[in-house]
Amino acid sequence: QDARLRRLHEGPAEVLFIRRDDFVKQVTEASLATPEHARGRWVVVFLFKDGLEGCARMAECVEALCGKYRRTKFVKMVSTDCIARYPD
């Protein structure tokens, strides 16, 4: 169990900012199985909009989770860059 817990805390502890053109590589391809991640890798996508208080609060939570679950990849992108006309 100690080895399993150590593996949970390996990897980068940052939320990567991506744009629409990066989505397939950073999310779709990153979640596929590889020799390093035999069962694939979890990827969390945080959609946000600048200037919204709720987004700022959620960003803090995502940053904290990123530091705790380092084998999970965390990315963020502007909501309307990901999904056209995404509601605020």
Side-chain angles (χ1 to χ4, degrees):
Q1 186 175 7
D2 289 336
R4 182 178 171 271
L5 289 174
R6 276 195 305 276
R7 282 195 311 271
L8 286 175
H9 298 288
E10 294 172 353
E14 68 174 295
V15 180
L16 179 66
F17 178 82
I18 65 170
R19 299 195 182 278
R20 176 184 286 243
D21 296 341
D22 303 321
F23 190 89
V24 170
K25 180 180 179 188
Q26 297 295 335
V27 178
T28 307
E29 292 175 6
S31 65
L32 299 175
T34 64
E36 185 179 68
H37 301 283
R39 296 188 328 194
R41 184 175 185 194
W42 287 95
V43 179
V44 174
V45 180
F46 169 48
L47 301 179
F48 72 96
K49 188 162 188 175
D50 285 325
L52 295 180
E53 183 180 343
C55 289
R57 288 185 183 177
M58 186 66 169
E60 293 173 8
C61 296
V62 172
E63 292 283 344
L65 289 170
C66 180
K68 186 173 181 180
Y69 298 99
R70 295 177 68 171
R71 287 183 52 113
T72 298
K73 183 173 188 171
F74 288 82
V75 300
K76 64 182 176 181
M77 64 188 305
V78 176
S79 58
T80 52
D81 190 32
C82 182
I83 303 168
R85 295 184 303 268
Y86 190 83
D88 293 346

